[in-house]
Amino acid sequence: IRDIGVTGVQTCALPIYTDRKDVMIALIKSFIFAIIIASISCYKGMNCPPGTAGVGKTTTEAVVNASLALLICNFFLTVLLNAVLYSN
């Protein structure tokens, strides 16, 4: 944040240092992440054993599986999108 000379008013330097390609990467990754989270959650929810213990265990499994899938997918998406969008 940089000061523009007016008391109490500051501007964000984000537009100065952010490239259009960065925004594009963020939008693509967030869309893919949403699909992964929804798919894993729906699959686990539809195959849930009956009872509260089954729901609790399945919820935990869905969160763990989605987190690991996002971590792995984030790595490969970052490498792929940076190679595609930033190749000159």
Side-chain angles (χ1 to χ4, degrees):
I1 298 176
R2 76 184 150 99
D3 193 4
I4 60 172
V6 180
T7 305
V9 177
Q10 295 177 335
T11 61
C12 183
L14 186 66
I16 298 170
Y17 299 109
T18 304
D19 191 18
R20 229 175 248 224
K21 294 174 185 176
D22 296 327
V23 175
M24 191 78 142
I25 288 173
L27 290 174
I28 292 169
K29 286 170 70 172
S30 64
F31 181 73
I32 293 172
F33 291 167
I35 291 171
I36 290 171
I37 292 170
S39 299
I40 291 173
S41 299
C42 287
Y43 176 77
K44 287 291 189 180
M46 297 303 276
N47 296 315
C48 178
T52 56
V55 172
K57 184 179 179 207
T58 303
T59 303
T60 303
E61 288 175 0
V63 170
V64 170
N65 290 344
S67 298
L68 289 174
L70 291 181
L71 183 67
I72 293 167
C73 184
N74 185 39
F75 172 76
F76 288 110
L77 277 175
T78 301
V79 170
L80 176 72
L81 291 173
N82 281 332
V84 169
L85 293 177
Y86 283 104
S87 63
N88 290 334

